[in-house]
């Protein structure tokens, strides 16, 4: 690759019954263009004119043009997207791991918003909000009936503006208001701990600008607690991906120097690139190599990587690189299958275009597009089996998804039936108290897959899935 193409670290994150994610590069626009199809351009102009004159009510010119652009790009594949002013801002916030808000991780419970955890040092943390607090109102708006996304939007806003949250704290049997001043929040994408003497766990929930530095700090903490680690679990479950340079850096932390991590291929010359486990492929301009601080033992410590259907894009790059180089045992279930690269081109100060420009390939040359990484050891998500896995959308389920370019795809007719059964189970499960639900929080002593990873390290019997099999690519209809 040389220095022709620099990693700029643009990435887009979206959600479709799970998570869709794109690893992205930023490049300059091409100078060469093919001639425009004049007849079709004339038809577009004619339709625009007819809508303006004949539609039942007036339509704004800008809205018509913006919707036309959005439709054209969205028709290509699930990951290409036109960014208007609002979505471009949200996109930038997603890649930086920074946003303006109150600083809480939340989920939904019984129609209310439940605080999973206040982010340390955030306004919510300083205001004394606690895990399991329920939010019943945001300013004057009742939370009951609001979607999680709508609640998030109401809590976010401009810096130094105030929002009042009405809190129900069940264990104290009281409801009270808390007024919080919004400020820029830095999200935590890395968690980790010493699970027991000799064994560590590091979870990456997303690959953001600060992920590599946070990863290095967490690994340093674990090795400080136990310098004689006998095994480390890298947990990438439900990690939708993120920045390409962060994925290359995390891979390089475990791999020998200069081996291939991932390669890309597309029409553009700059889309044909190979990324290696070396600082020039992940080091940011003006900063040193963050991996230099890592203990040397990390290169050889026995490593298990946990993945599932929600592990996508950058997560799959890391899992694929560590699997191909036989550096780690991959455990869990087949990953999402997001194996394409999106280039983000600004169209102005406030708008942009995210366009699929390449597929990426693991070091052995495999495309995982619409297929995913197949674990070395298939493990169910719980002792009861894969209770809700059928509900998770994967790349192959998406309309207009790209094929891998490496063979035919076969349709699985039984999937919708399994999905319907899982939906019914989920409805029943949602009625139970949190402590009785089947899928516990990752990293706890009730985390079934993590327990199996520890058994693998210790040479104990591992409860391998009796039902999980490799999911083949689906036939791409033209």
């Amino acid at each position: 690759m040389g220095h022709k193409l620099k990693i700029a670290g643009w990435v887009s994150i979206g959600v479709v019954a799970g998570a869709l994610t794109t690893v992205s590069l930023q490049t300059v626009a091409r100078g060469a263009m093919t001639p425009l199809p004049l007849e079709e351009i004339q038809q577009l102009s004619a339709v625009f004119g007819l809508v303006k004159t004949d539609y039942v009510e007036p339509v704004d010119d800008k809205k018509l043009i913006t919707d036309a652009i959005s439709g054209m790009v969205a028709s290509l594949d699930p990951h290409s997207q036109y960014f208007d002013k609002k979505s471009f801002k949200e996109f930038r916030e997603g890649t930086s791991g920074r946003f303006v808000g109150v600083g809480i991780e939340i989920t939904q419970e019984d129609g209310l918003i439940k605080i999973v955890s206040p982010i340390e040092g955030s306004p919510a943390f300083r205001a004394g909000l606690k895990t399991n607090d329920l939010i019943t109102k945001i300013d004057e708006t009742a939370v009951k009936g609001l979607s999680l996304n709508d609640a998030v939007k109401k809590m976010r806003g401009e810096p130094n503006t105030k929002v009042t949250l009405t809190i129900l704290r069940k264990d104290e049997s009281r409801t009270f208001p808390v007024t919080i001043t919004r400020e820029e929040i830095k999200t935590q994408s890395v968690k980790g701990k010493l699970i027991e003497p000799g064994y560590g766990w590091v979870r990456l929930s997303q690959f953001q600008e600060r992920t590599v530095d946070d990863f290095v700090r967490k690994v340093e903490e674990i090795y400080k607690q136990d310098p004689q680690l006998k095994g480390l679990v890298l947990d990438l479950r439900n990690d939708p991906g993120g920045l390409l340079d962060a994925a290359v850096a995390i891979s390089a932390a475990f791999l020998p120097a200069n081996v291939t991590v991932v390669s890309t291929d597309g029409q553009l010359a700059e889309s044909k690139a190979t990324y290696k486990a070396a600082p020039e492929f992940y080091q940011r301009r003006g900063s040193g190599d963050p991996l230099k601080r890592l203990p040397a033992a990390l290169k050889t410590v026995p490593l298990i990587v946990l993945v599932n259907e929600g592990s996508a894009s950058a997560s799959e790059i890391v899992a694929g690189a560590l699997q191909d180089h036989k550096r780690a045992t991959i455990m869990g279930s087949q990953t999402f299958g997001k194996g394409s690269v999106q280039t983000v081109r600004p169209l102005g100060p406030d708008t942009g275009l995210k366009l699929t420009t390449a597929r990426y390939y693991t070091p052995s040359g495999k495309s995982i597009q619409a297929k995913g990484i197949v674990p070395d050891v298939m493990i169910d998500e719980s002792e009861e089996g894969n209770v809700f896995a059928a509900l998770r959308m994967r790349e192959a389920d998406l309309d207009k998804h790209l094929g891998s370019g490496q063979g035919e795809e076969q349709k699985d007719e039984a999937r919708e039936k399994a999905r319907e059964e899982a939906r019914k189970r989920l409805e029943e499960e949602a009625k139970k108290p949190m402590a009785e639900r089947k899928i516990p929080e990752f990293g706890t002593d009730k985390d079934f897959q993590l327990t199996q990873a520890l058994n693998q390290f210790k040479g104990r019997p591992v409860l391998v899935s009796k039902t999980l099999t490799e999911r083949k690519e689906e036939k791409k209809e033209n």
Side-chain angles (χ1 to χ4, degrees), residues 64-288:
L64 275 178
I65 293 170
T66 297
D67 288 351
I69 295 170
S70 297
M72 174 173 60
V73 177
S75 70
L76 298 171
D77 65 66
H79 308 295
S80 294
Q81 180 183 357
Y82 169 71
F83 291 126
D84 59 17
K85 186 174 181 178
K86 181 182 177 185
S87 58
F88 206 29
K89 181 185 176 189
E90 291 172 351
F91 166 80
R92 285 166 164 160
E93 287 178 349
T95 62
S96 68
R98 295 179 175 90
F99 61 91
V100 175
V102 299
I104 49 177
E105 296 177 19
I106 59 174
T107 186
Q108 207 155 23
E109 183 177 292
D110 299 327
L112 301 178
I113 302 301
K114 180 180 178 179
I115 297 177
V116 175
S117 175
I119 295 171
E120 190 173 346
S122 70
F125 182 87
R126 297 194 300 270
L129 297 190
K130 298 179 179 180
T131 297
N132 295 327
D133 280 349
L134 296 172
I135 301 172
T136 60
K137 286 174 70 176
I138 303 171
D139 288 328
E140 297 304 315
T141 303
V143 165
K144 200 88 170 176
L146 278 185
S147 70
L148 204 59
N149 282 342
D150 286 339
V152 168
K153 287 175 184 176
K154 286 189 175 294
M155 284 187 279
R156 291 190 181 182
E158 295 301 316
N160 300 316
T161 58
K162 295 182 185 297
V163 60
T164 299
L165 306 180
T166 302
I167 303 297
L168 169 61
R169 187 166 289 167
K170 285 184 176 180
D171 59 356
E172 297 177 9
S173 300
R174 68 185 182 111
T175 299
F176 56 94
V178 178
T179 299
I180 299 174
T181 301
R182 298 179 179 98
E183 62 183 50
E184 183 178 85
I185 307 297
K186 295 178 181 178
T187 58
Q188 300 293 324
S189 62
V190 181
K191 293 180 180 179
K193 62 183 178 180
L194 198 65
I195 310 170
E196 60 181 69
Y199 299 98
W201 170 77
V202 177
R203 169 160 172 72
L204 273 60
S205 59
Q206 200 174 318
F207 289 82
Q208 299 176 330
E209 287 179 4
R210 299 169 59 245
T211 296
V212 178
D213 287 328
D214 290 346
F215 169 80
V216 170
R217 277 192 290 272
K218 191 57 67 177
V219 169
E220 285 178 317
E221 286 175 17
I222 291 171
Y223 268 92
K224 192 172 182 181
Q225 292 177 66
D226 190 343
Q228 305 300 321
L229 270 193
K230 294 182 283 187
L232 181 69
V233 176
L234 179 63
D235 192 344
L236 301 179
R237 290 172 294 178
N238 290 348
D239 182 332
L243 302 179
L244 176 58
D245 58 349
V248 174
I250 298 300
S251 303
F254 299 101
L255 292 172
N258 295 311
V259 300
T260 295
V261 173
V262 65
S263 60
T264 61
D265 188 33
Q267 283 197 79
L268 289 169
E270 53 262 52
S271 293
K272 303 175 190 299
T274 299
Y275 301 88
K276 295 181 178 291
E280 59 265 32
F281 294 92
Y282 59 79
Q283 190 172 325
R284 299 229 168 109
R285 187 176 297 175
S287 63

